[in-house]
Amino acid sequence: MLDRLSLRIRILLFFALLAAGAIGAIIAGLWVGMARAGLDAPTPEIIQGGLIAILLTTGLVVWVWFLFDANVARAIDSLASAIRARVHAGIDHDLAAEASAARYLGDLAPAAAAVTRSLAQTRSALAESVARETTRLAAEKTRLETLLADVPVAVLLCTAEHQLVFYNGQAVDILGEGSAPGLDRRLLDYLREGPIKHAYDRLSVAGDPDLASDLLCATVSGGRLLAGRMRVLRRREEGIAPGYVLTLRDVTADIAAHTRRDALLTEIFDRVRRPAANLQTVIGVMAELDGAQDVPDLAAAMRDEISVLTRAVTDLGARYDSIQADWRPLVNTRSADLLDGLEARFQAQTLTLSSEGPDLILQVDGFEIIAFWSWLAGRIAADGLASSFAMILAEEDGPGAMMRLTWQGEALSVGRLDRWLFDPMGRDTGELTAHTILQTHGTETWPESLPDGRHAVALPIRAARRAGRRPPPIARKVTYDFDLLSKARNAAVADTRLEDLTFVVFDTETTGLTPSTDSIVQIAAVRLVNGKKLDNEVFDTLVDPKRPIPASSTDVHGINDSMVVGAPDIIEAGRKFHKFAEGSVLIAHNAPFDMEFLRRQEAGIGKAFDHPVLDTVLLSAVVYGQLEQHSLDALTARLGITIPEEARHTAIGDTIATADAFLKLVPMLRARGLETFGQVVAEVRKHGRLLKDLNG
């Protein structure tokens, strides 16, 4: 039982027993003296002397205990905590402060400093060796991540319980609509579960990792339809069901295009069938009445039906042409790249081409446009019209551009060009015709004569814009933790190891320090999964407090009234934060303060912040003792964490610092035998004098 008590408590008990023993000895001595003196009762002098002796003895013991506690017990605790921090949290700075406090412990402090210094040197040498050996692997890992990030489809890796283990940037767009979906979250929170579960069940029963299953599923909101392919992984460990790889592609636009085409075809048959039938009837009547007397004039009826049929065919043809550009996706192509490819193709045909025009971004199928112009130049050259050409690219009023292939020589007639458009373009393009290319791009082409005597063929491009400075690339990192595939699931949070829990570390900035009258102006959070901080799974938003922000508060966190204009109110921001923190343990520094602000808004938000909570103030007290300073600055300084000055007292800056501190405290807690959430909470409750524990 005594080994569960702290060193200082055990020393206090030792001195208490020493004092009690001394008092007992004084009383026993007085009793023996009275017995030898033949006294039946103590005289006032004896009582007075005994009390003085007891008080002096007790005072002496207390004074010695105080000196021993201040200079030995506390110094040993501080030295032990510092050594543990350097062993488990990777802190490298020396023990100068702790050694000074432990100056009465003889050679213990210098010996501890030497041991930790040697440990730091050994760790540094080992780290350098490991770094050298893993440089190649790190480079390959980076290349693999880059390749997976640029894969044009969403790639997901999930456990058998449908928890996300890996996702790339395209998955963020499809599932999270621009915000990261989150490691260790359920895929079925984003996709309707039926197709996913059915595909997984089919593949699991088959037991063949080479099999794949195609599926069509929708997002939970129903806003997107996705085509996917699932493949189950090989079983890695007995007793743990294998995970699966799922690739997804957004086919919402494809299905919409199919729907429009089907609707147009249906309308074509409906609008053409009726006038065609009427014409057939009129022609039949005319045939029956041929040569008869008093034949009615059916020419007017026939002209009317032909007119209706002509208008229908013209209208339907125009609408069909207009949707051709929607059927195949066109990509943004830089005009300089397109013109360079054209020059190469012309050279291959022993033709010359010069080009001029602004640097534009054209929305085209680059291969087809290059094929069209090189084919057309080849036909013009084959007919002896020209062999030297110039390509002129010009911006048009509005969103488009104009491409003109010009030459000096004989003109190209409209009729000849129209006949060419329906001819196959050659062996390299199969049955592709120029007319098909024009339909794909929703455009047309025509010959024209220029004022300077040259001739040209013009081709309008529907979508073009001036090429400007390239915007900074959007981060398309892949996010993964393959250890989650073999992670054992435990429904009881109290019995779960800290490393196996998902945490959301958060902080708030407010208009003041009174939850009943003040409001939140900023919320920031970061997720910790499997003992790792996920830098790209961050929540950070300003909040409109619907009241002026006092200048004294702005001086602390730097947020003023103009910065929160247009920001969401606490109801909207609170709902988003609750969704971000769903299924996680919340962590904050001085958690009662932040939680009180959130819980006062639960009615408006419509959600309860009933998450399990850990407080790094109390965790610091568990590791370092209650007599140490437990502010965020003091804790991060002890753990060797630097908070940039510009980030201090900002929600995101303090959140990152708190997350880093917690990750360093976890191995120190484990070294004390505190591995599960329940064990940590039980130990935290012993420090209730500092802060209230929020876990029930």
Side-chain angles (χ1 to χ4, degrees), residues 199-213:
Y200 181 78
D201 291 342
R202 288 195 303 270
L203 293 173
S204 297
V205 170
D208 185 353
D210 294 328
L211 289 181
S213 176

Side-chain angles (χ1 to χ4, degrees), residues 42 46 70 157 166 213 235 269 274 303 338 371 398 405 556 647:
I46 293 176
L157 178 60
F166 171 102
S213 176
R235 186 183 298 273
F269 290 129
R274 188 179 294 108
R303 284 194 298 271
L338 191 70
L405 182 69
V556 175

Side-chain angles (χ1 to χ4, degrees), residues 7 11 130 145 161 193 201 234 244 248 259 284 338 375 486 493 537 577 602 635:
L7 175 64
I11 290 176
V130 171
E145 289 178 353
E161 294 82 15
E193 65 179 44
D201 291 342
R234 296 182 185 275
Y244 59 89
L248 295 171
T259 303
L338 191 70
W375 163 81
S486 56
V493 174
E537 293 190 15
F577 174 66
E602 288 179 341
L635 176 60

Side-chain angles (χ1 to χ4, degrees), residues 549-598:
I549 302 175
S552 57
S553 298
T554 299
D555 290 341
V556 175
H557 49 57
I559 300 172
N560 56 39
D561 292 328
S562 63
M563 295 171 63
V564 298
V565 173
D569 60 15
I570 186 57
I571 303 304
E572 180 183 350
R575 286 174 181 159
K576 290 180 179 178
F577 174 66
H578 190 279
K579 180 65 177 177
F580 182 82
E582 191 174 33
S584 304
V585 176
L586 294 179
I587 298 176
H589 197 79
N590 191 12
F593 175 82
D594 300 290
M595 293 301 298
E596 182 65 18
F597 275 93
L598 292 174

Side-chain angles (χ1 to χ4, degrees), residues 511-572:
T511 59
L513 303 177
T514 308
S516 59
T517 57
D518 287 304
S519 302
I520 293 175
V521 297
Q522 187 181 25
I523 307 175
V526 63
R527 296 184 79 231
L528 308 180
V529 177
N530 221 29
K532 302 179 183 68
K533 182 178 66 179
L534 305 180
D535 293 330
N536 59 329
E537 293 190 15
V538 174
F539 181 91
D540 186 14
T541 182
L542 291 172
V543 181
D544 187 352
K546 303 298 183 182
R547 51 162 292 178
I549 302 175
S552 57
S553 298
T554 299
D555 290 341
V556 175
H557 49 57
I559 300 172
N560 56 39
D561 292 328
S562 63
M563 295 171 63
V564 298
V565 173
D569 60 15
I570 186 57
I571 303 304
E572 180 183 350

